[in-house]
Amino acid sequence: MSSVTGVSALDSLPDDDGRPPLLGDQASTGRLGDRLFGGAATGAGVLVIALVTLVGVFLLWQAIPALANNEANFLTSREWNVSGDNPRFGIADLLWTTVLSSILAMGIAVPLGVCVALFITQYAPAWLRKPAAQLIDLLAAVPSIVYGLWGVAQFTPFIDPLQQKLQQWLGWFPLFRETSITATIFVISLVLAIMILPIVTSLSREVFAQTPAPHKEGALALGATKWEMIKTAVLPYGRPGVISAAMLALGRALGETVAVMMILSTLAVGTPFNPSIFNGGETFASRIANNASEFDSPQKAGAFIAAGLVLFILTFVVNAIARVVIERRKAFTE
């Protein structure tokens, strides 16, 4: 006689390995709701993959004609002249400014974010942890244009004296060479660091909070101090999560547009190359946004789309690396 759930007596017999079958396994394959939900989830995943693929194909399809007509080396040239019958354009300056500002922002935000996450999870009293976490997370809700306005009106004049001092002290090194520019890569890197700080802090906080209690208690039982416990138990456990948070933050910094466009000073055509962080320039995103009005011909639009394709590949690679690190962390914890 079947039970009230509709499972026959034969269904309740143990499997070959001696374990009784799970009712949920049978229900998941027989109920209409489960099939619909599974199909919707699968469709959503396929849709996202298809959208990313279509974006990449569209960028490549639009960029190939412009690249075929380009008379300069696209990867190494510093020229950007997309008009006329003999276009010459390259991404060397854009790539340098984009990567330099993003790496500098990450170098500031990651250590600061990790320290904030450690404070919230390990040092802060219980009544302060939730408000502090919410306050940091609020930074992610501030629109980019607000950061841009604040950077232009308040932050750039405020940070300029520090820039002048750093140029005086470290100007002998090419990366800190003196310039007369105020709105520099250094300034926008600090603003980007503030913008990506919530990403690093939030993900690092979640990872540190999941550190197994026996790991921490064991370190303390062996006579470790609070910092030694963090160094030997919390940080090693959370290292993959911190790395993935840093990579996701890097992807965010690479693609920032409005704040960079408003704050960073653009350079005149023909300006000699200067690797200094106190120089101006344009990133991929800001160059495309600044010149959106020039998309009046397939050749011009294709040149900017080619630059966008490089940015797309950069962010895709960064996020793919983050995903690999996350999967490795899952395998490690399991």
Side-chain angles (χ1 to χ4, degrees), residues 236-298:
Y237 181 84
R239 184 180 296 114
V242 172
I243 295 174
S244 61
M247 300 305 292
L248 292 174
L250 177 59
R252 171 74 172 84
L254 287 170
E256 176 54 38
T257 304
V258 176
V260 178
M261 182 178 64
M262 296 179 65
I263 297 174
L264 186 60
S265 295
T266 58
L267 300 177
V269 178
T271 302
F273 175 71
N274 186 350
S276 175
I277 64 173
F278 302 115
N279 196 23
E282 288 180 288
T283 63
F284 286 106
S286 66
R287 169 66 64 85
I288 295 171
N290 277 326
N291 297 273
S293 60
E294 295 187 14
F295 298 174
D296 54 1
S297 68

Side-chain angles (χ1 to χ4, degrees), residues 32-305:
L32 178 62
D34 290 330
R35 293 199 302 269
L36 291 176
F37 180 79
T42 302
V46 172
L47 177 62
V48 170
I49 295 174
L51 288 175
V52 174
T53 303
L54 288 174
V55 169
V57 170
F58 167 78
L59 293 175
L60 186 62
W61 176 53
Q62 294 291 325
I64 286 178
L67 292 174
N69 295 329
N70 185 19
E71 297 187 359
N73 190 301
F74 179 66
L75 297 177
T76 61
S77 175
R78 297 181 58 244
E79 298 181 70
W80 192 268
N81 180 14
V82 296
S83 302
D85 297 330
N86 305 105
R88 299 180 61 87
F89 56 92
I91 60 168
D93 283 346
L94 303 180
L95 184 63
W96 174 257
T97 304
T98 302
V99 173
L100 180 62
S101 60
S102 300
I103 291 179
L104 185 57
M106 190 178 67
I108 297 169
V110 172
L112 182 59
V114 169
C115 290
V116 173
L118 288 175
F119 168 76
I120 293 174
T121 57
Q122 308 298 325
Y123 289 99
W127 61 268
L128 182 60
R129 292 177 184 175
K130 189 173 182 179
Q134 292 176 342
L135 184 63
I136 296 297
D137 292 341
L138 279 177
L139 291 175
V142 179
S144 298
I145 193 170
V146 174
Y147 280 110
L149 292 172
W150 170 71
V152 172
Q154 298 293 330
F155 189 69
T156 300
F158 173 78
I159 209 69
D160 188 55
L162 175 60
Q163 288 191 118
Q164 300 298 329
K165 291 294 183 181
L166 291 176
Q167 291 181 62
Q168 293 176 10
W169 297 336
L170 304 173
W172 53 271
F173 191 69
L175 198 60
F176 304 100
R177 187 176 299 165
E178 294 187 43
T179 66
S180 58
I181 299 174
T182 302
T184 63
I185 296 174
F186 177 71
V187 174
I188 193 57
S189 297
L190 294 177
V191 175
L192 288 175
I194 298 173
M195 297 177 70
I196 65 177
L197 182 63
I199 299 176
V200 180
T201 303
S202 178
L203 294 179
S204 299
R205 186 178 72 241
E206 294 298 326
V207 173
F208 294 152
Q210 295 174 10
T211 304
H215 291 190
K216 299 189 289 185
E217 294 170 356
L220 294 173
L222 292 174
T225 64
K226 187 67 172 287
W227 164 241
E228 290 172 338
M229 179 273 292
I230 292 173
K231 185 172 63 174
T232 57
V234 177
L235 290 178
Y237 181 84
R239 184 180 296 114
V242 172
I243 295 174
S244 61
M247 300 305 292
L248 292 174
L250 177 59
R252 171 74 172 84
L254 287 170
E256 176 54 38
T257 304
V258 176
V260 178
M261 182 178 64
M262 296 179 65
I263 297 174
L264 186 60
S265 295
T266 58
L267 300 177
V269 178
T271 302
F273 175 71
N274 186 350
S276 175
I277 64 173
F278 302 115
N279 196 23
E282 288 180 288
T283 63
F284 286 106
S286 66
R287 169 66 64 85
I288 295 171
N290 277 326
N291 297 273
S293 60
E294 295 187 14
F295 298 174
D296 54 1
S297 68
Q299 173 61 44
K300 292 181 180 180
F304 288 101
I305 290 175

